[in-house]
């Protein structure tokens, strides 16, 4: 008989019938999100053991090279009810971690760095700056609200299938570069629950990067330098583009701009919108020529082809023939402005920056922060990400069916957890074990050599 | 390093010892070497190196282009840093560097200057090393660079070229430009930022000129830290310990003027009293012209002014009798003949070595004049430094400097390149270049006279 069979909690859940969110709607159902639902989530669905194994990076084994203090030096922060924020939670075992989460039922769990000593003991040491981060994943945070000046379908916290492609572009561009350029392999992409994505680079080399090195990587990715004060926020100098930018353009940006965003955002269909683009053209005569053309053609919208596409072709024609490189380059600059990833630099630069743990539930949308597979990220649909209510409903339905894997396997969360394990956790732990063994053997060999006569 | 007198027992002044690392031709000066130095060499080696550094400083502030600088550095080094015993050349290099560390560690400004010049020198010398030697140096600096093999270079040539063109460097693919180094990207964050390198599979491909920058940066930061330590050691122990031996040498070195001292006037420098007003207008530098005009105007000058102008006139060729006559003529108008003889004549004769300990004083160099501190009622010093902008402009325009040149001069002044300002003034007034730059008022005078004489000769 399995544990599930004897379990009585399912009885509690039948008391009220929660409303399921409609298809395609991401917006919040705040009155449905309450602590008792979270309690059930943490008790039955949240993958504690996976989190523990990930955070241990192989140090939870019996191998002599394992560092038993490793996990205990990692900071976890909780956001509790009533906006209470608790930092420097540490755990020394899987049960400690699991029990603490189940007990405290945090609205949000953040993961911090690994410090030089157990942060719980930080006050035992005299002097300032005794606690320093020594390891931390290389992380990126891409938030849709940073694109508000180039999307018209939504703004602020909202996200829909018309603007979501911007996130797909970001994942593709950054993921490719992290792997091909920087040589990283253990990369986890996670839906942030509402309007963006997070990226966790977990290679050993990445975890040990200094702040300066992180800033350099973030800066390598940086193209957009905008604020209200400049109308031209992307400036691509140089005779040719750096290979990284060129590749991003030809493999991702151009396609997504021309086949998706141009039309879904109606970037050239109205005067207000096309003016923003015309503003970016340094040659006034071209800009006015286009303006003239487009003001005229406002009425004749009988063409079968989308007006945005027609106008974009006209714009490209004029710009690409120009003798000045700065003008020709304008085409790329426009595409980059409307599609290229915009990272939050501060998140990546500092080792001590906290970031939300995967599989948390977003309090405003109820959606679970599930992993995104970069290899088919274009299939990811934020509107169908499981919500807390939905998962509990599913548990209700499947209630008495036993499952050797765990309760989550009966719900929509199953795919997310399986993806997490197969594409990320298992390869990572395998490498950790190998690295640990080989460095241990190397040390052994070294000391043997020293002793030999 | 141990400094000895020939035939005398030595005393060491540097506690750290260690061999010089990296290639024999380009030392990294990581630690003071185990060498014996003769006291005479202690000073002369340092002076020779100082000529190189000052030459570099001059070249840089004149805005010489990189290839011109390259030539200049090579020449300076060849001229000044050789030794009759060729085996001693590396030692001279190392010793002179460490002596100058003592000299230039003592204030923030000195350290900054020394750092800039030594880094520039290092950068040029590094560029001229063989690939082997460069790799050895990079290893010393913990820059794990690997040279990119020809095969790999060929396969990446296009991408590398793209990167170069994207940052404005044209990859000419000459043999030196085709040298690339491969290094883990995290070792070169300054190049990753701003996408200045091609990165692939975790490696950054660094071009030769970028490597030079990296290496020079590391060199500079190591030297910077070393200078701070040296300063501490100097202040707490060395200066005291060496007060009778090395300290006076060290303290004199940084303010040393390295050109001819004009204590023996040349033949064509001789001027006669009747010509002096005319010659002052045509060939005196601004500092001396100002003193001269003030003397004519007020019939008096305070002591420092008398020294500065008087010694200059000596260098220019005014003999002691003419000099006495000159000063007497002016001063007697104010203080009377008797007072002049009683209070001023002695000093003039003293300057010519005719009185007292009979030292023949040498005319002041620009460096000394710039460092002086004129107060109320004083007219000595360097006008480019000590005059306010308006006064300086007025003085220059009275001299006949046109408005275009004026702006250039004022630019140099704002940048505190006073000697360059004077050089530009010279060039504007004589319509001829002064490549060596003005370092001494008497040099200004003799260069000017030479030019004017040449013009006169060619026109007759």
């Amino acid at each position: 008989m399995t544990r599930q069979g004897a379990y009585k909690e399912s009885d509690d859940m039948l008391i009220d019938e929660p409303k399921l969110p409609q298809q395609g709607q991401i917006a919040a159902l705040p009155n449905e999100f309450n602590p008792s639902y979270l309690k059930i989530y943490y008790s039955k669905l949240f993958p504690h053991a996976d989190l523990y194994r990930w955070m241990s990076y192989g140090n939870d084994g019996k191998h002599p090279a394992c560092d038993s203090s490793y996990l205990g030096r990692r900071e976890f922060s909780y956001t509790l009810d009533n906006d209470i924020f608790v930092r420097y939670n540490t755990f020394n075992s899987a049960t400690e971690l699991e029990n603490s989460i189940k007990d405290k039922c945090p609205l949000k769990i953040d993961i911090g760095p690994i410090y030089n000593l157990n942060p719980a003991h930080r006050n035992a040491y005299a002097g300032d700056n005794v606690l320093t981060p020594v390891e931390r994943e290389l992380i990126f945070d891409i938030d849709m609200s940073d694109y508000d000046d180039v999307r018209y379908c939504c703004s602020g916290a909202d996200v829909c299938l018309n603007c979501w492609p911007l996130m797909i572009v970001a994942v593709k561009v950054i993921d490719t570069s992290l792997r091909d350029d920087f040589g990283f392999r253990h990369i986890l992409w996670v839906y942030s629950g509402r309007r963006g994505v997070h990226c966790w680079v977990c290679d050993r080399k990445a975890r040990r990067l200094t702040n300066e090195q992180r800033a350099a990587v973030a800066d390598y990715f940086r193209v957009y330098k905008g604020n209200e004060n400049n109308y031209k926020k992307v400036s691509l100098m140089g005779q040719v583009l750096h290979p990284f930018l060129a590749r991003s353009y030809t493999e991702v940006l151009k396609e997504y701009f021309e086949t998706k965003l141009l039309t879904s955002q109606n970037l050239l269909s109205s005067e207000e919108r096309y003016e923003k683009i015309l503003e970016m053209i340094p040659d006034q005569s071209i800009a006015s020529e286009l303006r003239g053309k487009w003001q005229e053609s406002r009425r004749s919208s009988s063409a079968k082809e989308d007006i945005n596409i027609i106008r974009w072709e006209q714009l490209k024609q004029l710009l690409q023939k120009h003798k000045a490189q700065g003008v020709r380059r304008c085409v790329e600059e426009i595409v980059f402005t409307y599609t290229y990833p915009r990272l939050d630099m501060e998140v990546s630069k500092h080792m001590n920056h906290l970031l939300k743990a995967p599989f948390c539930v977003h309090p405003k949308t109820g959606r679970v922060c599930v992993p995104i597979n970069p290899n088919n990220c274009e299939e990811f649909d934020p509107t169908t990400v499981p919500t807390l209510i939905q998962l509990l409903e599913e548990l209700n339905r499947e209630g008495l069916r036993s499952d050797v894997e765990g309760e989550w396997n009966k719900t929509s969360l199953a795919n997310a957890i399986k993806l997490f394990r197969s594409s990320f956790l298992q390869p990572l732990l395998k490498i950790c074990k190998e690295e640990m063994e080989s460095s241990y053997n190397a040390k052994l060999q070294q000391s043997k050599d020293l002793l030999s006569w | 390093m141990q400094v000895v007198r020939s035939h005398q027992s030595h005393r060491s002044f540097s506690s750290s010892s260690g061999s010089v690392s990296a290639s024999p031709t380009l030392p990294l000066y990581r630690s003071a070497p185990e060498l014996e130095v003769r006291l005479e060499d202690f000073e002369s080696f340092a002076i020779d190196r100082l000529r190189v550094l000052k030459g570099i400083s001059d070249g840089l502030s004149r805005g010489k282009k990189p290839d011109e600088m390259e030539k200049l550095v090579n020449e300076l080094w060849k001229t000044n840093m050789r030794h009759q015993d060729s085996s001693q050349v590396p030692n001279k290099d190392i010793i002179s560097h460490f002596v100058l560390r003592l000299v230039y560690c003592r204030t923030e400004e000195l350290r900054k200057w020394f750092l800039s010049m030594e880094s520039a020198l290092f950068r040029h010398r590094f560029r001229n090393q063989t690939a082997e030697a460069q790799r050895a140096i990079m290893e010393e600096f913990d820059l794990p660079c690997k040279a990119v093999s020809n095969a790999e270079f060929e396969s990446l040539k296009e991408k590398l070229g793209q990167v170069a063109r994207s940052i404005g460097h044209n990859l000419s693919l000459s043999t030196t430009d085709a040298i690339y180094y491969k290094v883990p990207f995290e070792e070169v964050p300054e190049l990753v930022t701003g996408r200045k390198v091609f990165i692939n599979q975790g490696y950054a491909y660094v071009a030769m000129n970028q490597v030079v920058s990296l290496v020079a940066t590391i060199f500079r930061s190591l030297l910077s830290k070393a200078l701070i330590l040296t300063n501490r050691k100097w202040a707490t122990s060395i200066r005291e310990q060496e007060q009778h031996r090395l300290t006076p040498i060290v303290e004199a070195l940084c303010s040393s003027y390295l050109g001819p001292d004009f204590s023996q006037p040349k033949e064509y420098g001789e001027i006669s009293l009747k010509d002096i007003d005319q010659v002052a207008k045509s060939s005196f530098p601004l500092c001396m012209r100002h003193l001269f005009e003030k003397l004519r105007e007020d019939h008096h000058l305070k002591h420092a002014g008398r020294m500065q102008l008087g010694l200059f006139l000596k260098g220019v060729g005014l003999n002691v009798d003419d000099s006495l006559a000159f000063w007497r003529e002016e001063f007697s108008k104010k203080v009377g003949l008797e007072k002049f003889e009683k209070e001023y004549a002695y000093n003039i004769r003293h300057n010519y070595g005719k009185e007292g300990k009979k030292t023949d004083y040498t005319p002041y160099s620009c460096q000394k004049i710039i460092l002086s501190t004129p107060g109320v009622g004083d007219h000595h010093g360097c006008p480019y430094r000590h005059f306010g902008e308006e006064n300086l402009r007025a003085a220059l325009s009275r001299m006949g400097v046109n408005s275009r040149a004026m702006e250039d001069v004022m630019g140099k002044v704002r940048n505190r390149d006073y000697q360059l300002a004077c050089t530009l003034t010279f060039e504007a007034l004589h319509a001829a270049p002064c490549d060596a730059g003005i370092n001494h008022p008497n040099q200004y005078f003799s260069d000017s006279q030479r030019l004017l004489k040449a013009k006169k000769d060619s026109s007759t």
Side-chain angles (χ1 to χ4, degrees), chain A residues 18-195:
Chain A
K19 241 190 353 229
L20 282 174
Q22 301 306 310
Q23 235 356 3
Q25 180 190 11
I26 301 187
L29 298 169
N31 53 334
E32 303 290 358
F33 183 90
N34 64 62
S36 63
Y37 291 155
L38 253 193
K39 203 160 183 69
I40 302 168
Y41 178 74
Y42 283 134
S43 137
K44 293 180 175 239
L45 298 173
F46 184 86
H48 304 276
D50 293 87
L51 180 62
Y52 166 77
R53 291 213 307 278
W54 171 21
M55 291 286 114
S56 300
Y57 284 97
N59 285 295
D60 53 330
K62 303 258 191 335
H63 195 281
C66 289
D67 175 1
S68 55
S69 81
Y70 190 81
L71 181 66
R73 289 184 283 121
R74 166 83 71 169
E75 175 185 0
F76 294 87
S77 306
Y78 291 159
T79 307
L80 306 175
D81 232 349
N82 296 320
D83 281 329
I84 299 173
F85 187 67
V86 183
R87 283 193 66 176
Y88 301 118
N89 299 296
T90 59
F91 313 107
N92 292 301
S93 70
T95 14
E96 265 185 49
L97 172 66
E98 181 170 347
N99 289 342
S100 167
I101 294 177
K102 283 178 174 170
D103 179 47
K104 295 284 190 320
C105 227
L107 294 176
K108 182 164 80 123
I109 304 171
D110 284 295
I111 301 174
I114 299 215
Y115 291 99
N116 53 336
L117 36 96
N118 188 324
H121 305 150
R122 65 192 180 284
N123 295 317
Y125 300 90
D128 312 314
N129 296 329
V130 159
L131 202 60
T132 42
V134 295
E135 271 189 34
R136 208 271 188 273
E137 294 75 9
L138 174 61
I139 55 178
F140 299 98
D141 179 355
I142 302 163
D143 189 321
M144 191 67 88
S145 60
D146 287 339
Y147 294 75
D148 283 353
D149 62 307
V150 294
R151 58 175 184 146
Y152 300 105
C153 51
C154 323
S155 74
D158 297 331
V159 153
C160 70
L161 288 178
N162 282 328
C163 52
W164 184 256
L166 287 167
M167 290 296 112
I168 298 175
V169 167
V171 172
K172 281 176 181 284
V173 167
I174 304 289
D175 190 77
T176 305
S177 184
L178 287 172
R179 287 175 206 274
D180 293 355
D181 300 346
F182 290 96
F184 292 126
R185 309 238 282 276
H186 304 283
I187 302 173
L188 174 70
W189 287 93
V190 186
Y191 174 53
S192 74
R194 186 165 61 165
R195 63 186 190 213

Side-chain angles (χ1 to χ4, degrees), chain B residues 269-285:
Chain B
E270 269 182 16
I271 55 172
S272 63
L273 273 185
K274 59 178 168 50
D275 296 331
I276 200 169
D277 285 274
Q278 217 258 309
V279 148
K281 271 211 186 61
S282 67
S283 298
F284 277 15

Side-chain angles (χ1 to χ4, degrees), chain A residues 294-349:
Chain A
W294 297 346
Q295 273 165 356
E296 261 179 40
S297 71
R298 224 184 314 195
R299 281 161 236 283
S300 58
S301 50
S302 57
K304 271 197 244 197
E305 222 187 338
D306 181 286
I307 196 174
N308 298 289
I309 295 184
I310 296 175
R311 289 181 174 174
W312 178 245
E313 281 309 309
Q314 290 171 343
L315 185 149
K316 272 205 298 189
Q317 281 255 337
L318 284 182
L319 287 183
Q320 280 167 348
K321 284 195 315 230
H322 202 275
K323 55 177 157 64
Q325 197 203 266
V327 178
R328 293 199 303 273
R329 185 55 65 70
C330 207
V331 174
E332 284 92 340
E333 284 174 344
I334 294 171
V335 172
F336 270 81
T337 303
Y338 280 83
T339 59
Y340 184 85
R342 301 177 185 191
L343 308 174
D344 185 336
M345 303 290 287
E346 291 308 305
V347 169
S348 308
K349 279 195 213 178

Side-chain angles (χ1 to χ4, degrees), chain A residues 179-184 205 209 212-213 216-217 219-223 237-245, chain B residues 159 161-163 165-167 170 184-187 189-190 192-203:
Chain A
R179 287 175 206 274
D180 293 355
D181 300 346
F182 290 96
F184 292 126
K205 195 187 195 190
L209 292 176
E212 190 196 356
Q213 292 161 339
V217 177
D219 214 67
Y220 177 87
F221 289 140
R222 187 170 183 223
V223 169
M237 313 292 279
Q239 278 175 33
V240 300
L241 292 183
H242 185 283
F244 159 61
L245 298 180
Chain B
K159 297 258 162 60
Q162 280 172 8
V163 176
R165 295 208 312 278
S166 77
I167 53 176
N170 287 316
F185 78 87
E186 65 271 17
E187 303 290 336
E190 60 276 293
V192 172
T193 292
R195 297 183 288 266
K196 300 198 182 84
V197 281
F198 177 65
I199 303 182
N200 190 32
Q201 288 307 316
Y203 284 95

